[in-house]
Amino acid sequence: MTAQLGNFYKNSNMKLLVNDKELAHYLISLINLKDHCSHIELDERKTAEAIQFIIEKRDHHKFDIEKFRDKFKEKLFRGISADAEAWRKKVNIVLENYRKNYFRQIHKQSEYVIEKLGDKNIIAAYMNSDQQYFIKTVGQQIDATATMIRRRDFVDSTEDCLLRNTVGNENIIVDKINRNLPFWFIDSGYTNFVESNKKWHRLVRNHLHFNSQFIAPANRLKHFKQFPQPWRKDGKKILIVQPGEFAASVMNIDVKSWTENIVNELRTYTDRPIEIRSKINKKTRTSLYKTLVNGDYYCTVSINSNSAVESIWAGIPAITLDKHVSNTVTRNSLSQIDDLYYGPLGDWLAWLSYCQFTYDELMDGTALNIIKKYHNV
């Protein structure tokens, strides 16, 4: 790996802050997993059925090859294709299980592995490879001369950088936002709660969220798996969605005091029942979207963009107390508790579709091209 050291540590205005998770993904790509699949045999059942069908037709006394030629070809092709696809699925399942297992092992001991191999050696080899992933691929699209470093080695906050996710990047992000310093940010998209997997991601310049809505084309609306439910106007409870530790640190708030202040101010405007949702472990709590769909809620109050989006999707009006993607279709002051937004969502949905992207769109440059063209970056 040392031989693969390149010119990736030259000075650059842009820093790609890679985390150990991405490096672990790269290291897994170096492992030959083919031997783990050598025992998987090709089940030729469908092919055999097709051949048997052809033999039976051939042996019929009125058999006419010209009449059946195309049908035989199609039958045999379908049989072979079905067997090959079944084998491919088995192989992919085995490969994915081994990848997950190796990833857990490497990521769990990432500090030890990276120290033994040398972080600069790993990064240089990664940058020299064909392997694609978030920080490397998107970063090179933004700046082909950018330098990749481990996140912990980033010391000059005035330098432009690309980073992914909030966890582990809290201090950098807070400093960047508070001092109005340049950065690019990758994180989850806004409608993953209606998908079976984490399909959507966002790429944002100099902030955590988009908040300047424009008139967007409607062509990306087709990517939404489902659309928001009709507005519900008969709910009774107000749901206060507490922010997590990171959001609280960015907003410079104490969650307990913030919640008490929200409740006290609401009580000056309404006597509706108030419920508080704390930011507890994701693995143990019901999703906000499902809670809202199944509950008797009048509106939600939050400072989190995803909370507001989930509320809108459930047909529950929202009051959002910070700048982010939902501002144009929510109220932004507690004093508006009796004047909630029940208006149209079409323009906002079209715009939102231009604020989140699939993994493939990040990898092939579609996301960055949209950001540059439509978000004035």
Side-chain angles (χ1 to χ4, degrees):
M1 190 174 290
T2 303
Q4 292 179 289
L5 275 168
N7 295 320
F8 300 112
Y9 281 85
K10 62 185 179 181
N11 292 328
S12 172
N13 292 327
M14 180 85 169
K15 294 296 187 295
L16 311 182
L17 310 190
V18 66
N19 56 30
D20 292 350
K21 183 177 181 180
E22 182 157 334
L23 294 180
H25 276 290
Y26 167 64
L27 292 174
I28 290 171
S29 73
L30 303 179
I31 301 173
N32 185 356
L33 299 175
K34 293 181 180 178
D35 291 343
H36 295 304
C37 302
S38 59
H39 67 285
I40 304 176
E41 297 182 355
L42 176 64
D43 186 345
E44 300 176 337
R45 187 178 312 170
K46 296 297 182 181
T47 303
E49 290 176 0
I51 293 174
Q52 183 61 35
F53 171 84
I54 293 171
I55 291 174
E56 290 175 358
K57 290 294 183 182
R58 183 201 63 186
D59 292 342
H60 195 276
H61 69 281
K62 292 184 178 181
F63 174 71
D64 182 352
I65 185 61
E66 295 303 324
K67 181 179 179 180
F68 287 95
R69 188 188 302 277
D70 290 341
K71 187 174 183 179
F72 285 170
K73 288 181 179 178
E74 182 182 351
K75 187 77 173 179
L76 188 59
F77 176 78
R78 287 204 303 265
I80 294 173
S81 298
D83 289 337
E85 178 63 14
W87 178 83
R88 186 189 67 81
K89 287 182 179 180
K90 290 179 183 178
V91 169
N92 283 341
I93 290 173
V94 171
L95 289 176
E96 184 60 24
N97 287 337
Y98 273 103
R99 286 193 190 100
K100 288 180 179 178
N101 183 47
Y102 281 127
F103 175 79
R104 284 193 293 267
Q105 293 181 49
I106 293 174
H107 193 232
K108 186 177 181 180
Q109 305 178 70
S110 58
E111 195 62 42
Y112 173 80
V113 173
I114 292 172
E115 180 183 346
K116 287 296 182 182
L117 295 176
D119 55 1
K120 292 186 178 181
N121 293 335
I122 296 173
I123 289 174
Y126 178 31
M127 293 289 280
N128 235 353
S129 72
D130 294 329
Q131 188 73 13
Q132 303 295 308
Y133 211 56
F134 290 99
I135 292 297
K136 175 191 172 183
T137 304
V138 177
Q140 289 182 324
Q141 293 168 8
I142 296 171
D143 182 357
T145 67
T147 300
M148 179 179 284
I149 62 173
R150 292 179 75 184
R151 180 174 57 194
R152 69 178 190 181
D153 295 330
F154 185 68
V155 294
D156 186 357
S157 194
T158 63
E159 290 186 307
D160 201 354
C161 70
L162 168 67
L163 49 104
R164 179 181 174 224
N165 297 338
T166 56
V167 178
N169 293 314
E170 295 90 343
N171 293 336
I172 297 173
I173 294 173
V174 170
D175 189 40
K176 288 280 190 180
I177 292 175
N178 288 344
R179 297 170 61 192
N180 196 28
L181 297 173
F183 69 103
W184 290 86
F185 180 66
I186 299 173
D187 206 350
S188 301
Y190 299 103
T191 60
N192 286 318
F193 59 91
V194 294
E195 302 281 347
S196 58
N197 52 23
K198 199 171 182 178
K199 177 179 179 180
W200 295 106
H201 310 272
R202 66 185 189 266
L203 173 64
V204 189
R205 181 61 165 159
N206 296 333
H207 207 277
L208 300 182
H209 301 285
F210 299 103
N211 54 46
S212 297
Q213 186 172 327
F214 54 82
I215 301 300
N219 62 312
R220 289 180 61 84
L221 287 172
K222 61 187 177 185
H223 296 308
F224 287 127
K225 185 176 181 179
Q226 68 184 62
F227 290 102
Q229 297 188 20
W231 291 118
R232 292 158 54 187
K233 301 181 180 181
D234 57 351
K236 294 181 173 60
K237 296 184 291 184
I238 297 171
L239 181 64
I240 298 175
V241 183
Q242 291 183 330
E245 291 183 7
F246 172 73
S249 66
V250 172
M251 309 301 172
N252 295 314
I253 64 172
D254 173 76
V255 174
K256 182 179 179 181
S257 299
W258 177 85
T259 304
E260 291 175 351
N261 291 336
I262 295 297
V263 171
N264 291 336
E265 184 174 350
L266 282 172
R267 282 288 168 246
T268 67
Y269 304 121
T270 181
D271 60 359
R272 291 182 179 87
I274 296 173
E275 184 177 305
I276 297 171
R277 178 184 171 91
S278 62
K279 193 78 170 181
I280 56 178
N281 193 310
K282 290 182 178 180
K283 294 181 180 179
T284 60
R285 73 173 187 250
T286 304
S287 75
L288 175 60
Y289 175 68
K290 290 182 179 179
T291 297
L292 293 171
V293 167
N294 297 320
D296 185 20
Y297 295 101
Y298 170 72
C299 77
T300 61
V301 177
S302 71
I303 58 172
N304 297 89
S305 62
N306 284 0
S307 299
V309 173
E310 290 184 55
S311 185
I312 293 167
W313 237 261
I316 307 298
I319 295 177
T320 54
L321 303 176
D322 193 49
K323 293 182 179 180
H324 45 64
V325 294
S326 67
N327 286 136
T328 60
V329 290
T330 60
R331 296 308 188 205
N332 309 122
S333 170
L334 296 177
S335 64
Q336 297 172 296
I337 190 68
D338 291 318
D339 182 30
L340 300 175
Y341 182 87
Y342 294 101
L345 296 173
D347 288 344
W348 177 74
L349 287 170
W351 174 72
L352 186 67
S353 73
Y354 271 71
C355 295
Q356 61 177 14
F357 314 96
T358 64
Y359 176 80
D360 289 341
E361 288 176 330
L362 283 172
M363 295 301 103
D364 66 17
T366 298
L368 183 60
N369 288 337
I370 288 176
I371 297 301
K372 289 182 176 180
K373 181 176 180 180
Y374 292 97
H375 290 272
N376 296 321
V377 174

